[in-house]
């Protein structure tokens, strides 16, 4: 196609244009407020707390509601309207998917089930599709499954990641989903960390393909993105505070972007088109950090969660998977 060509994507039911390098979704104003949501987590007992905060402004998180089941070691994804949290292995291999309406406050509602119950998994989403990859079940898992966010129901098989592993993270542009880091050993903390980054094309089903490597082998980092750049912060080893960055449309190794305000593992990430936030961490950390995505540099203090915890599910109504420009 030539630059400027427009098409309708039958798989995602979205209007797209070709920018000379890749197909991008048109962005419609669906009321995105810049709201980030953090659901569940560990304290170390399983928590059902849901917090939210507004990414464009600094300040502490406030109460949103409660999960259907208190769970940690799960992962979240979202459209501009709905946020989903799925998986866990706190007390077994749980397949539960909950959802909330991001613009409102209230308790989560049952959405359906993952195709394989597991925890410590990665997640990513387009404006229509939510995807989970990898995880622990109780050993290393290579499953990728997906749901259509606008409709309730169970997840379906999408494909497999290149290497079965747990404690992975993810992010996305409107076309590509990214799976990064992780560990390939059931022990925690584990020496079997990896720097591997993989990608999938979210509009089609299929196995992940190698993208490149993080700057260091990292387990349990937090990931988020805008439509161009992906960011990964913190993770194992426990002295790790580095933030890595990739350009999602190309393949290649990550580069060093900056540092978190403190070293921590089991971090979550939530982003807008301009800011990345990194929240929580092991053990019972309530910190929210932020960076400006357009420029390199160290993170700054954003505010605090209502309850310090780690390994919950985070998502926003304005992340990189939601469309074009």
């Amino acid at each position: 196609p030539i630059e400027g060509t427009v098409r309708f994507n039958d798989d995602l039911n979205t209007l797209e244009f070709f920018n000379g390098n890749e197909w991008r979704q048109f962005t419609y104003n669906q009321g995105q407020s810049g709201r980030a949501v953090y659901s569940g987590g560990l304290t170390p007992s399983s928590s059902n707390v849901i917090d939210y905060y507004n990414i464009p402004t600094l300040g502490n998180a406030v109460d949103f509601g409660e999960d259907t089941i208190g769970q940690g070691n799960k992962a979240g994804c979202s459209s501009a309207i709905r946020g989903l949290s799925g998986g866990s292995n706190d007390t077994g291999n749980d397949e539960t998917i909950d959802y909330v309406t991001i613009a409102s406050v209230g308790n989560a509602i049952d959405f359906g089930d993952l195709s394989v119950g597991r925890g410590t998994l990665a997640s990513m989403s387009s404006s229509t599709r939510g995807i989970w990859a990898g995880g622990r079940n109780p050993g290393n898992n290579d499953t990728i499954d997906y749901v259509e966010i606008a409709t309730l129901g169970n997840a379906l098989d999408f494909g497999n990641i290149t290497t079965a592993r747990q404690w992975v993270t993810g992010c996305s542009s409107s076309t590509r989903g990214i799976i990064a880091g992780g560990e390939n050993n059931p022990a925690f903390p584990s020496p079997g960390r990896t720097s591997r980054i993989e990608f999938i094309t979210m509009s089609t089903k299929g196995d992940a393909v190698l993208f490149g490597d993080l700057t260091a082998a990292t387990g349990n980092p937090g990931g988020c993105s805008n439509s161009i750049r992906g960011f990964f912060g913190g993770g194992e080893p426990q002295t790790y505070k580095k933030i890595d960055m990739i350009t999602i449309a190309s393949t290649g190794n990550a580069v060093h972007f900056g540092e978190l305000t403190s070293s921590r593992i089991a971090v979550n990430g939530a982003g807008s088109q301009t800011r990345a936030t990194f929240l929580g961490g092991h053990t019972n950390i309530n910190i929210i950090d932020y960076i400006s995505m357009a420029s390199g540099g160290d993170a700054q203090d954003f505010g605090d969660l209502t309850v310090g915890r780690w390994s919950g599910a985070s998502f926003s109504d304005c992340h990189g998977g939601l469309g074009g420009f």
Side-chain angles (χ1 to χ4, degrees), residues 159-222:
N160 300 97
I161 58 177
T162 63
T163 302
R165 59 196 194 275
Q166 54 191 278
W167 300 111
V168 285
T169 194
C171 64
S172 54
S173 68
S174 60
T175 54
R176 276 185 174 179
I178 302 293
I179 305 107
E183 301 177 359
N184 55 17
N185 189 314
F188 179 80
S190 164
R193 303 179 192 108
T194 181
S195 61
R196 181 180 293 262
I197 307 172
E198 305 169 27
F199 76 93
I200 57 172
T201 301
M202 293 187 291
S203 62
T204 60
K205 294 182 284 185
D207 295 339
V209 178
L210 184 65
F211 183 99
D213 289 289
L214 298 170
T215 59
T218 310
N220 219 0

Side-chain angles (χ1 to χ4, degrees), residues 149-165:
I149 298 174
T151 59
L152 306 185
N154 296 334
L156 302 173
D157 180 62
F158 185 98
N160 300 97
I161 58 177
T162 63
T163 302
R165 59 196 194 275

Side-chain angles (χ1 to χ4, degrees), residues 125-299:
S125 50
S126 66
S127 59
T128 57
R129 221 172 234 195
I131 298 171
W132 290 267
R136 185 169 67 185
N137 174 264
N140 304 308
N141 190 277
D142 66 354
T143 300
I144 308 174
D145 47 10
Y146 76 99
V147 297
E148 299 297 336
I149 298 174
T151 59
L152 306 185
N154 296 334
L156 302 173
D157 180 62
F158 185 98
N160 300 97
I161 58 177
T162 63
T163 302
R165 59 196 194 275
Q166 54 191 278
W167 300 111
V168 285
T169 194
C171 64
S172 54
S173 68
S174 60
T175 54
R176 276 185 174 179
I178 302 293
I179 305 107
E183 301 177 359
N184 55 17
N185 189 314
F188 179 80
S190 164
R193 303 179 192 108
T194 181
S195 61
R196 181 180 293 262
I197 307 172
E198 305 169 27
F199 76 93
I200 57 172
T201 301
M202 293 187 291
S203 62
T204 60
K205 294 182 284 185
D207 295 339
V209 178
L210 184 65
F211 183 99
D213 289 289
L214 298 170
T215 59
T218 310
N220 219 0
C224 60
S225 60
N226 62 15
S227 59
I228 298 171
R229 289 177 166 182
F231 299 86
F232 310 100
E236 288 193 85
Q238 299 211 20
T239 55
Y240 203 64
K241 60 190 293 189
K242 188 181 292 187
I243 303 170
D244 283 357
M245 181 193 76
I246 60 169
T247 300
I248 299 175
S250 62
T251 57
N253 296 335
V255 296
H256 179 233
F257 184 92
E259 310 281 326
L260 296 176
T261 59
S262 63
S263 302
R264 54 196 193 272
I265 65 172
V267 186
N268 279 78
S272 69
Q273 290 296 326
T274 56
R275 273 185 178 174
T277 61
F278 298 95
L279 49 145
H282 189 275
T283 306
N284 295 343
I285 293 173
N286 67 351
I287 294 170
I288 308 173
D289 288 350
Y290 79 96
I291 56 171
S292 172
M293 292 174 164
S295 58
D298 295 340

